[in-house]
Amino acid sequence: MSARKWLARPELGVVAAVVAAWLFFAVTAGDSGFLTLSGTASYLAIAAELGILAAPVALLMIAGEFDLSIGSTMAASGMTIALCTTELGWPLWAGIAAAAALAACVGLANGFIVTRTRLPSFIVTLGTLFILAGGTIGTTRLITGRTQVGGLEEAGGFGTAQKLFAGQIGPFSITLLWWLGLTALATWVLVRTRPGNWIFAVGGAPDAARRLGIPVDRVKILLFMTTALAACLVATFQTVQFRGTDVLRGTGKELEAILAAVLGGTLLTGGRGSVVGAACGALLFGMVQQGIVFSGVDSDWYKVFLGAVLILAVLLNSSVQMRAAEARR
């Protein structure tokens, strides 16, 4: 691949940012544990969960849509697992299946409304966010009188689920394997398969894609379902790991996932992006979040980093769009 093609890669900027962040924290926090195996495992665990969300979010954004309901889907899915097992006495795997069914229905509803009404997905999924958030809080209080539910370790099948969703490989969380596997799968779909070409076409020129016979609506609906199921998977990780959940779990994760995708080179207007770039964006998040802690800086400054990076990422995206438009003239 020529140097010009390498420079055109959407994930190039975030890869450079990851290297720079690692070097910075290696110097400033290397003596505090950042460079140790456990320190590495700590930021990879954070990156893994965010990366699992960011991969399908990147695919959806490449197709020209957003999903702001991911965080509330996480809360609803985790609480579904908890209530089904602790209140209804279901085996844990049945609770996980119920949560997956709920998430799939949420994604289906989002996709159906967006494709049928042509309303902006930003508005539709923002409405879904509020519906799920309020419904999760109201249902949980109605059934239990609380906003937290625990005791999952007593459910049937917990031991097997714990190994699969909350196990450890040395100091590393098993979520790291899930992240690598799902990122590889999403990358393969995007760059090596016909549906991957459809995703780019749907985001870049949806009208032209329809004229070519590409099932635009079906592609978008399936991508909305994928983001919702990814949210359910991450909720399952957390619910099994902590043996319970609360109604606020997942708050703000939709914004972090979108930002990870944008950092990875995904355009806000669709038609361009990279799953690998989104994975690197998630890695940057985890590295900075833990690096700040290892450096002894108040973790509240992490939010300052998010805001600054968001503005810089949008400016970079706008610059890329302008250069691409000029190149087409």
Side-chain angles (χ1 to χ4, degrees), residues 183-302:
T183 299
L185 176 61
T187 300
W188 175 76
V189 169
L190 186 63
V191 303
R192 296 293 184 183
T193 69
R194 181 179 296 177
N197 292 331
W198 290 352
I199 292 171
F200 281 114
V202 166
D207 293 334
R210 285 191 178 90
R211 289 194 293 270
L212 290 172
I214 295 174
V216 174
D217 291 351
R218 191 188 314 165
V219 168
K220 290 187 177 183
I221 290 172
L222 288 174
L223 289 175
F224 274 110
M225 294 177 68
T226 302
T227 58
L229 287 170
C232 178
L233 178 59
V234 175
T236 302
F237 291 145
Q238 295 183 355
T239 303
V240 173
Q241 178 183 358
F242 298 111
R243 306 185 181 189
T245 188
D246 64 79
V247 297
L248 297 180
R249 189 63 55 88
T251 301
K253 285 299 180 183
E254 63 280 345
L255 299 179
E256 292 184 5
I258 290 172
L259 182 50
V262 172
L263 284 172
T266 302
L267 289 182
L268 296 170
T269 53
R272 185 177 188 270
S274 165
V275 175
V276 173
C280 292
L283 178 59
L284 181 62
F285 268 66
M287 193 177 293
V288 171
Q289 186 171 342
Q290 288 301 102
I292 288 175
V293 174
F294 282 116
S295 298
V297 179
D298 191 331
S299 60
D300 291 339
W301 289 100
Y302 174 66

Side-chain angles (χ1 to χ4, degrees), residues 83 87 137-149 247:
L83 292 177
E87 298 296 323
I137 294 172
T139 302
T140 305
R141 282 182 172 168
L142 181 65
I143 295 175
T144 68
R146 307 186 306 274
T147 58
Q148 296 179 328
V149 177
V247 297

Side-chain angles (χ1 to χ4, degrees), residues 11 23 37 82 92 123 208 213:
E11 63 270 16
L23 291 174
L37 206 57
L92 182 56
I123 298 299

Side-chain angles (χ1 to χ4, degrees), residues 47-223:
E49 290 190 357
L50 180 57
I52 290 170
L53 295 175
V57 165
L59 295 179
L60 182 63
M61 290 178 64
I62 293 170
E65 304 293 351
F66 290 91
D67 189 351
L68 295 181
S69 64
I70 294 173
S72 57
T73 301
M74 283 181 60
S77 297
M79 194 55 70
T80 298
I81 296 172
L83 292 177
C84 285
T85 54
T86 60
E87 298 296 323
L88 299 180
W90 290 9
L92 182 56
W93 287 102
I96 293 173
L102 172 64
C105 289
V106 169
L108 177 62
N110 281 336
F112 183 83
I113 295 172
V114 169
T115 56
R116 288 296 181 270
T117 66
R118 308 301 179 195
L119 288 172
S121 55
F122 178 90
I123 298 299
V124 173
T125 57
L126 181 62
T128 306
L129 182 156
F130 287 120
I131 291 171
L132 287 176
T136 301
I137 294 172
T139 302
T140 305
R141 282 182 172 168
L142 181 65
I143 295 175
T144 68
R146 307 186 306 274
T147 58
Q148 296 179 328
V149 177
L152 260 70
E153 68 276 8
E154 299 177 5
F158 178 80
T160 305
Q162 187 179 37
K163 292 178 182 178
L164 186 61
F165 298 118
Q168 293 286 129
I169 303 174
F172 298 99
S173 170
I174 198 170
T175 55
L176 181 60
L177 292 183
W178 282 89
W179 177 35
L180 294 175
L182 291 174
T183 299
L185 176 61
T187 300
W188 175 76
V189 169
L190 186 63
V191 303
R192 296 293 184 183
T193 69
R194 181 179 296 177
N197 292 331
W198 290 352
I199 292 171
F200 281 114
V202 166
D207 293 334
R210 285 191 178 90
R211 289 194 293 270
L212 290 172
I214 295 174
V216 174
D217 291 351
R218 191 188 314 165
V219 168
K220 290 187 177 183
I221 290 172
L222 288 174
L223 289 175

